[in-house]
Amino acid sequence: MEKLERYEPLVEDFDAFLDACERPLPSVVRVNTIETTPERAKAALDEEGVGWTGREWSDTVLELDTDNPGSTWASYHGWIHGQEEVSAIPAEVLAPEPGERVWDACAAPGSKTTQLAALMDDAGLVVANDNNLGRLSALRFNTERLGVTNTAVTNTDSRNFSLKPFDFDAFDKALVDVPCSCEGTIRKNPTALDDWTMDHVRSVAGVQKGILTRAIQATKEGGTVVYSTCTFAPEENEAVLDYALEEEDCRLVEFDVGLDSRPGVTEFEGETYDESVRKAQRFYPHHNDTGGFFCAKLEVEG
Amino acid sequence: MTETSNDGQQFDRLPATADDREVEGRATREEVLNWWDQRFEIPPETFEEYSFWEKGKGKIWILRGNVASPIRIEALGMKFLRTRQEHWKPTTNAVQRFGREAEKNVIELTREQARRFVRGEDQELDWDGDWGYLVATHELAGESEPLGVGLFVHGELKSPVPKGRQRDL
């Protein structure tokens, strides 16, 4: 936990924050509306005696009273998918519509890809890319298990992603849920911070900048790009946005998901960032009883 | 005239009919639609908005919508049907997704039979319909829901549920 001490100046009620980071996460699933409705999924859980609690901010996010949601009929049929609550935020913020072309730049293992497909009623096209061939098998397994048919899976480095295989030259929207130092996943994985170093933060931030700028370039004018991480480090969050604002034609826009959040920070450890990064949102474990998360919505300009 | 052969590295859209076929042995869209209609009475209109693709010999994939053909990528939509063998075989995922439309060769299992099926176990049971691939269903949340594809032969329902999809429920 001492690795989180550097965030004390950013986080109000810091002791409550640290306490929350020590507690395990609730067991949360997303209802897959490609295969069923939230009503039927709840009915199936009721039949099996698995208790559930809904969430005000989303019809499809349910907390279950079992630690093993995979051992349910609802899961076998692809009606529910284990997905941490904050992980459901970025696809909701991107809000893709049926018929649109959407790029999921860092797609494996596919929770957000399948959520995008569901939000699109499985119509339109999701291009799900990941640079790691090993993780692609999990991505492919999950898209098929959840009955997704509108996804094309590619295997390249997103920083140099090419639209060449496709018969269009820009996406309507892009989801950039980048690899990160994962500090926000400490509740799910207590060893998440064991390998944490400032060098890793700096190196992953470089990759994040490359992926976000490529996503902005590959998205049409007026289109939307959502950038997210599961970490608290401003170097991987606001600093990456600050870089993209400088390098590409884009602006940050406000959004509301109905979860408690704090605005992006404009200064940290002597660095200052563009004032508009306040429009990004920081989700802390002690505010909604979730993992930690960062999410920003950008509009691509001409 | 030389026949083009199947290239396992790329997805090729299925030809609409036999007259459009350029790759020997490749299934046509018409044949695929007829197969689902004849085997399960799933009407061809069900698949109006979908395109069909071959990558890997006999592996047919289903995509909602369309993309350029051929296309060299890792995956496209969902693996749907295995052709180029005597009996065509649908995938578990395809039957879970589209099997609700089936009117024929549907076998309703009890909860205990369904448990055995999803564990991947073969079981003896009474079925006086066609032999071959069946849509196995059970009742869940008030409606019949497809568990996947079963294979009925010699008084036995075999479970081809792939290892990674099997569950002990």
Side-chain angles (χ1 to χ4, degrees):
Chain A
M1 289 299 157
E2 73 276 6
K3 281 151 184 167
L4 298 177
E5 297 290 341
R6 65 196 292 260
Y7 305 122
E8 189 164 2
L10 303 182
V11 183
E12 69 199 56
D13 204 354
F14 193 68
D15 289 338
F17 165 77
L18 289 180
D19 287 348
C21 288
E22 306 263 8
R23 287 195 296 271
L25 276 176
S27 175
V28 172
V29 298
R30 179 174 55 80
V31 175
N32 173 31
T33 53
I34 292 174
E35 293 281 8
T36 196
T37 60
E39 291 66 37
R40 272 194 92 194
K42 291 172 191 170
L45 293 165
D46 288 342
E47 271 181 18
E48 293 190 80
V50 176
W52 51 267
T53 317
R55 288 290 190 266
E56 243 171 61
W57 73 277
S58 169
D59 293 340
T60 55
V61 175
L62 301 177
E63 178 180 342
L64 302 191
D65 70 3
T66 170
D67 287 336
N68 197 357
S71 293
T72 59
W73 284 106
S75 172
Y76 172 77
H77 286 287
W79 291 7
I80 58 171
H81 175 70
Q83 183 174 357
E84 217 267 285
E85 186 161 356
V86 283
S87 157
I89 292 172
E92 291 280 352
V93 173
L94 192 66
E97 310 233 357
E100 289 185 328
R101 291 172 176 139
V102 178
W103 187 34
D104 189 355
C106 312
S111 293
K112 299 179 188 77
T113 306
T114 52
Q115 187 184 4
L116 292 170
L119 288 166
M120 296 160 75
D121 293 332
D122 199 27
L125 184 69
V126 181
V127 176
N129 184 71
D130 206 275
N131 68 338
N132 183 313
L133 196 58
R135 280 200 308 261
L136 274 194
S137 60
L139 169 66
R140 291 173 52 174
F141 179 83
N142 281 322
T143 58
E144 297 204 12
R145 183 180 87 79
L146 298 182
V148 174
T149 64
N150 75 339
T151 298
V153 175
T154 58
N155 175 217
T156 59
D157 185 331
S158 283
R159 290 174 290 186
N160 325 305
F161 181 81
S162 166
L163 277 153
K164 230 180 189 170
F166 299 96
D167 51 2
F168 55 89
D169 55 17
F171 291 101
D172 297 298
K173 290 175 177 167
L175 179 62
V176 188
D177 181 62
V178 285
C180 69
S181 58
C182 298
E183 295 161 349
T185 65
I186 184 79
R187 300 183 65 183
K188 181 168 65 184
N189 171 18
T191 64
L193 299 183
D194 287 1
D195 299 325
W196 188 100
T197 64
M198 204 50 226
D199 274 350
H200 179 240
V201 170
R202 277 189 285 264
S203 114
V204 84
V207 175
Q208 291 160 348
K209 287 171 184 169
I211 299 173
L212 177 57
T213 53
R214 181 65 195 122
I216 294 164
Q217 292 159 5
T219 301
K220 69 176 192 189
E221 190 181 335
T224 305
V225 175
V226 165
Y227 177 79
S228 62
T229 74
C230 50
T231 208
F232 306 111
E235 295 86 350
E236 301 176 53
N237 294 332
E238 288 85 352
V240 175
L241 295 177
D242 184 78
Y243 174 87
L245 291 166
E246 187 76 27
E247 295 295 313
E248 302 294 330
D249 287 328
C250 62
R251 65 184 190 99
L252 280 157
V253 292
E254 281 171 1
F255 62 93
D256 181 31
V257 284
L259 282 168
D260 195 9
S261 70
R262 296 295 176 270
V265 300
T266 53
E267 51 180 303
F268 183 67
E269 294 186 348
E271 301 288 327
T272 59
Y273 313 117
D274 189 283
E275 279 293 311
S276 71
V277 302
R278 287 183 200 279
K279 290 177 181 170
Q281 294 183 31
R282 297 179 147 259
F283 299 88
Y284 289 112
H286 55 314
H287 291 151
N288 308 286
D289 194 19
T290 61
F293 210 71
F294 179 83
C295 187
K297 183 177 183 180
L298 298 103
E299 184 187 304
V300 178
E301 301 182 298
Chain B
M1 203 172 101
T2 54
E3 289 274 9
T4 332
S5 63
N6 184 63
D7 180 341
Q9 298 306 305
Q10 66 187 30
F11 287 91
D12 287 301
R13 195 182 304 113
L14 295 192
T17 65
D19 288 345
D20 307 307
R21 177 161 34 214
E22 288 172 4
V23 175
E24 195 188 341
R26 176 165 288 165
T28 66
R29 177 182 177 85
E30 189 174 57
E31 287 167 347
V32 168
L33 296 181
N34 281 343
W35 187 87
W36 287 85
D37 192 11
Q38 280 166 15
R39 185 69 208 167
F40 300 128
E41 280 180 16
I42 295 179
E45 304 86 77
T46 310
F47 302 109
E48 233 160 56
E49 294 175 7
Y50 296 84
S51 54
F52 298 104
W53 302 75
E54 183 174 24
K55 183 196 186 189
K57 215 170 182 183
K59 266 187 213 158
I60 307 301
W61 304 59
I62 183 169
L63 175 75
R64 177 83 174 263
N66 223 327
V67 292
S69 176
I71 183 165
R72 284 178 176 263
I73 58 174
E74 297 299 317
L76 194 59
M78 173 195 287
K79 284 193 285 300
F80 186 63
L81 183 66
R82 188 89 205 205
T83 62
R84 295 186 189 245
Q85 52 195 24
E86 190 189 347
H87 298 290
W88 288 12
K89 182 192 174 196
T91 63
T92 296
N93 291 320
V95 170
Q96 281 198 350
R97 176 78 157 84
F98 298 101
R100 286 176 213 107
E101 310 285 324
E103 299 279 354
K104 190 174 126 188
N105 289 323
V106 177
I107 186 167
E108 175 94 20
L109 303 181
T110 65
R111 186 52 54 95
E112 191 45 43
Q113 289 168 336
R115 283 197 186 96
R116 297 185 63 173
F117 185 84
V118 306
R119 278 202 298 263
E121 289 172 16
D122 303 339
Q123 52 191 315
E124 284 180 15
L125 48 76
D126 290 329
W127 167 254
D128 51 15
D130 290 356
W131 289 21
Y133 290 113
L134 308 181
V135 173
T137 67
H138 71 149
E139 198 189 294
L140 184 65
E143 282 174 55
S144 186
E145 183 69 15
L147 294 154
V149 58
L151 174 62
F152 187 85
V153 281
H154 302 294
E156 192 178 47
L157 181 72
K158 294 178 179 296
S159 167
V161 175
K163 266 253 154 57
R165 298 290 327 266
Q166 290 173 8
R167 301 283 174 88
D168 200 357
L169 293 171

